[in-house]
Structure formats: C-alpha cells, structure tokens
Amino acid sequence: MAVRTSWELVHACGHTVTHNLSNRPADQRAGFARWLEGKDCTDCWKAARDGDSAGKEEWLAAKRAAEQQAATEWAEQFEMPPLEGPEKALDWGARSRHQLVTAAYTALVTEGSWDEADWATLEEKIRTITRAGWWIDQREAEGTDLPELLDAATDNDRGTENPFH
C-alpha cells in the first residue's frame, strides 16, 4: 500500500483545503500536514501579508531613518571620514560601518580585554577604509573579526585623503 499523497486539512483560519503533498518524501508528508494545519490557508496568508505591506514599508523606512541618524551622529562624534562610492551605497555603507564598529567596540573593549589604547589604534585603521562597498560586504561579520578584516583590506578599499587629523 502506498503512502497517501493527498491531505484534507482544516487550517488555523478555519478553511478546509486539500493539499497534494506528493512532492515531499513519503516519510515527511504526515509531519508537514500537521504543520500546515497550524497555519492559515494560502489565500488567508496572502491576504494578511498583502494587507500589511504598507505597514511593513513604513516600519522599515522609519527603522532605516533611525539607523541612518545614529550612524551620522556617530560618524560626526568620532570624526569618521565620509565614505566613497555610488550614491545609493553611501547610506547603507555608513549604517554597516556604524553597526560593525560599535559591535567590535562592545566585543573587544566593553566585554573583552582591550583597553582604550588598543581601541584607538584600531580606530585609526577604521578611518582609512572609506569605500562604502567594503563596509557593506562586512555587514554580517562578527565584531571580534574587525581587526583581521581591516588587515585584509586592500588599497582599493582605502581612501586617498590623509585619514589622520
């Protein structure tokens, strides 16, 4: 006898839908069917997602604006040089730089064994990397990796201006 492929499920939204689960391995169909029952049907899920897209967009825009404001204030406070690159990458690069550098400070100084002198040396290296794309590429890096990442940066990632003030 073959394992059944068709499942009639009553979803969390109350709708009954017949699902063809033949594209799943036979031993995973029953578990997937149980999982599906706990979810809204496809139509209800899409309606909820589409109805909330304006709210998500507003929330994301507000979050990005707050992150950008924090990155701008941080860059001014710590005299970070402006980033270079395409216009559409500058804000993203600034946010990525701010997030990585503050995560590194927390990991290395606040929670780690570095002192302010060690950090000041690293901060000077941070100032030399002005290519926005480099910071965007490192956006998922761990803060503890920043010293090694800065050492691996090439001349293409460094600005031509004197970073020392």
Side-chain angles (χ1 to χ4, degrees):
M1 182 171 163
V3 176
R4 73 187 219 196
T5 58
S6 182
W7 298 75
E8 187 171 318
L9 305 175
V10 178
H11 288 273
C13 60
H15 294 117
T16 302
V17 179
T18 302
H19 292 275
N20 178 357
L21 302 182
S22 61
N23 61 342
R24 299 216 169 260
D27 63 338
Q28 295 179 6
R29 292 178 192 154
F32 186 69
R34 279 191 303 276
W35 179 81
L36 276 176
E37 277 185 319
K39 306 295 177 195
D40 288 344
C41 71
T42 303
D43 292 338
C44 290
W45 176 80
K46 284 181 180 179
R49 182 194 66 189
D50 293 343
D52 193 30
S53 65
K56 286 180 186 174
E57 290 173 12
E58 290 173 12
W59 173 83
L60 186 58
K63 181 178 184 220
R64 290 288 178 255
E67 288 174 349
Q68 193 62 45
Q69 180 66 28
T72 301
E73 291 172 0
W74 171 84
E76 290 172 6
Q77 178 183 357
F78 293 101
E79 300 175 355
M80 291 292 155
L83 296 179
E84 302 166 352
E87 186 67 33
K88 65 182 182 178
L90 295 178
D91 287 348
W92 189 12
R95 288 191 311 270
S96 298
R97 175 176 65 177
H98 173 247
Q99 291 166 352
L100 180 56
V101 173
T102 55
Y105 185 85
T106 300
L108 298 171
V109 179
T110 306
E111 297 171 353
S113 60
W114 284 36
D115 61 19
E116 289 298 327
D118 294 330
W119 180 256
T121 302
L122 186 68
E123 195 172 274
E124 290 306 322
K125 285 184 179 181
I126 291 167
R127 286 189 180 93
T128 66
I129 308 298
T130 57
R131 188 173 69 83
W134 189 88
W135 291 103
I136 293 169
D137 290 344
Q138 313 315 318
R139 69 186 176 272
E140 294 178 5
E142 296 291 324
T144 54
D145 294 338
L146 185 58
E148 185 177 348
L149 293 170
L150 290 169
D151 289 341
T154 66
D155 288 340
N156 294 336
D157 303 316
R158 300 182 199 295
T160 56
E161 295 293 320
N162 182 358
F164 303 103
H165 28 302

